[in-house]
Amino acid sequence: MLMSGGVDSSVAAYLLKEQNYQVIGLHFKTVNDVIFSLIPEKKKVCCSPSDTQDALKIANKLDLDDFQIVDIKKEFKEKIINYFINTYKEGKTPNPCMLCNKFFKFGKALEIAHSYDADLVSSGHYLIKEYSEKYTTYVIKKGVDQYKDQSYFLSYIDKNTLPYLYFPLGNMYKVQIRDIAKKIGLSVANKPDSQELCFIPDNDYRKFLKEYGVNSEEGKVYDLEGNEIGTHTGYMNYTIGQRTGISYYKNANVKLHVYKIVPQKNIIIVAPTEKMYSKELIVRNVNFFVDFDKVEGFCRVRKKSEEKPAVVSKISDNTLEVSFKEPIFAVTPGQFATIYDESGVVLASGIINV
């Protein structure tokens, strides 16, 4: 059982005990605790020292069969932090939580589970895993709580792990979880949800990149016609669709967004709002849950966006082309696109490469 120290995983562990499972708690340490004293949290993040204390406290209260604090700092830096830094260097926008779920929460955790001869890895995520008669395979699909659904964030985990996963909160609502936590007297019943990256507690990723030796120099801004119209503070400080942080000395009264980032030249190209919409994108490094050549479904292109109707075609074993029924705003290279069917089943996921 993945124990973050939050209310969701704590109630999930309680529910497993109620279902007569033997429960072994796993709590990952991704970065040194000292980071949280040097860089105070602006919003709640996971994996902090207080989370470790809460997870241990809950494990004791629920009388779990075992509890492990797992040090993954070295691997986490290699697979997650380095990916984060390198993606920004490439002028793209990363989503490290997707890879953390793939490699650690449902990768490393499964290795540890096998060492215990455990049958399942469980967590407090809001999504459903089930066997699909339609696709004749295990699938993941949206949880019933549309505001807490986390199917997008888990859409890049290895399909082969699905038979060994269990999500007890998939058919429940957040309000139910907090009510259960209060009823059984859990100290984390009203604990805020984690919102920011565990390795950047203050969410200042620009400062973080500088501390890792990624120097961001000022550069030029051009419009779509190739005219130099302003300056930026460094290409890594921007993402597609952004409007702030650019100084203009031409066209200052026109609403302009970051349209393209060219890291090799340290330049940014901007465009008016109406030019920021597109109907197609390419998805690479695709993770298939269900194999298909062409499907009409829905595509989500960032964590805070809705799925949009699209026709998705397989170009190669690891590449998809997505054609939207209606144009969507600010498609961002480096972000993940997740493909759903009409019932909320995740068909595939991959990295956007426009």
Side-chain angles (χ1 to χ4, degrees):
M1 176 69 214
L2 299 174
M3 300 286 292
S4 68
V7 65
D8 296 326
S9 62
S10 299
V11 171
Y14 164 76
L15 294 174
L16 292 175
K17 292 285 287 186
E18 288 293 291
Q19 295 168 29
N20 294 318
Y21 283 100
Q22 288 184 303
V23 182
I24 300 163
L26 297 181
H27 178 77
F28 288 130
K29 297 299 290 184
T30 58
V31 293
N32 290 316
D33 283 349
V34 68
I35 287 176
F36 292 90
S37 59
L38 296 174
I39 310 173
E41 301 170 59
K42 286 189 177 179
K43 295 181 180 179
K44 183 72 193 77
V45 304
C46 74
C47 309
S48 69
S50 63
D51 287 329
T52 305
Q53 294 169 9
D54 285 338
L56 182 56
K57 189 185 302 182
I58 297 299
N60 289 330
K61 181 176 178 60
L62 297 179
D63 192 26
L64 300 190
D65 295 273
D66 197 1
F67 179 78
Q68 262 200 55
I69 297 175
V70 185
D71 186 338
I72 58 169
K73 299 186 192 76
K74 183 175 183 293
E75 299 161 271
F76 188 83
K77 182 179 183 304
E78 292 171 354
K79 292 186 180 295
I80 308 301
I81 295 179
N82 288 347
Y83 148 80
F84 181 85
I85 293 169
N86 291 333
T87 303
Y88 268 114
K89 283 182 178 180
E90 294 170 0
K92 300 176 182 178
T93 304
N95 188 332
C97 296
M98 302 287 275
L99 294 189
C100 182
N101 285 330
K102 179 182 182 70
F103 292 123
F104 297 109
K105 293 179 181 176
F106 302 98
K108 180 75 171 179
L110 193 57
E111 293 177 17
I112 297 172
H114 289 330
S115 73
Y116 275 95
D117 290 327
D119 297 319
L120 298 167
V121 170
S122 185
S123 76
H125 288 90
Y126 290 81
L127 76 160
I128 296 167
K129 182 212 85 173
E130 64 185 19
Y131 185 84
S132 169
E133 296 293 343
K134 176 181 179 180
Y135 299 116
T136 64
T137 187
Y138 282 101
V139 296
I140 55 174
K141 61 188 292 188
K142 292 181 181 179
V144 298
D145 190 334
Q146 62 176 320
Y147 297 105
K148 291 300 297 178
D149 168 57
Q150 291 167 300
S151 59
Y152 174 79
F153 285 100
L154 271 68
S155 65
Y156 209 57
I157 64 175
D158 189 339
K159 174 186 176 179
N160 295 326
T161 66
L162 295 190
Y164 308 101
L165 306 186
Y166 177 36
F167 303 104
L169 308 189
N171 287 298
M172 303 179 73
Y173 291 85
K174 182 73 177 196
V175 64
Q176 294 176 276
I177 302 309
R178 291 207 185 273
D179 285 346
I180 292 171
K182 292 171 186 175
K183 181 180 178 181
I184 63 177
L186 295 185
S187 58
V188 295
N190 294 311
K191 185 174 179 178
D193 294 337
S194 298
Q195 299 183 52
E196 308 295 354
L197 299 178
C198 62
F199 55 95
I200 312 179
D202 62 358
N203 199 35
D204 190 346
Y205 79 90
R206 296 176 178 87
K207 183 178 72 174
F208 174 85
L209 291 172
K210 287 182 180 178
E211 289 174 351
Y212 271 82
V214 182
N215 296 315
S216 189
E217 299 178 351
E218 290 187 0
K220 296 177 180 180
V221 176
Y222 294 86
D223 63 18
L224 290 178
E225 288 71 43
N227 302 308
E228 183 182 336
I229 61 171
T231 60
H232 63 78
T233 59
Y235 74 86
M236 283 169 288
N237 297 331
Y238 301 88
T239 189
I240 303 301
Q242 184 172 330
R243 287 186 58 207
T244 59
I246 294 176
S247 298
Y248 296 104
Y249 40 79
K250 291 181 183 178
N251 298 348
N253 296 322
V254 179
K255 187 184 289 187
L256 298 171
H257 305 261
V258 175
Y259 177 81
K260 186 176 182 179
I261 298 170
V262 187
Q264 300 87 347
K265 298 181 179 179
N266 191 27
I267 66 172
I268 286 175
I269 298 170
V270 295
T273 305
E274 62 269 19
K275 295 290 187 181
M276 295 300 301
Y277 289 85
S278 54
K279 290 189 70 174
E280 294 183 343
L281 61 84
I282 298 296
V283 183
R284 302 193 189 280
N285 303 108
V286 177
N287 179 50
F288 285 97
F289 289 100
V290 176
D291 195 18
F292 59 85
D293 291 321
K294 188 173 185 178
V295 67
E296 285 201 30
F298 298 84
C299 180
R300 185 175 179 182
V301 297
R302 61 178 62 85
K303 62 181 179 180
K304 293 183 178 179
S305 70
E306 296 180 359
E307 299 87 41
K308 298 296 183 181
V311 176
V312 185
S313 302
K314 187 177 183 181
I315 298 174
S316 70
D317 287 343
N318 66 353
T319 308
L320 296 174
E321 181 181 59
V322 181
S323 298
F324 291 93
K325 301 276 180 83
E326 299 289 338
I328 62 169
F329 180 76
V331 173
T332 306
Q335 288 287 287
F336 285 75
T338 297
I339 314 301
Y340 295 86
D341 74 3
E342 69 283 351
S343 64
V345 170
V346 177
L347 303 179
S349 177
I351 301 172
I352 296 172
N353 189 333
V354 179

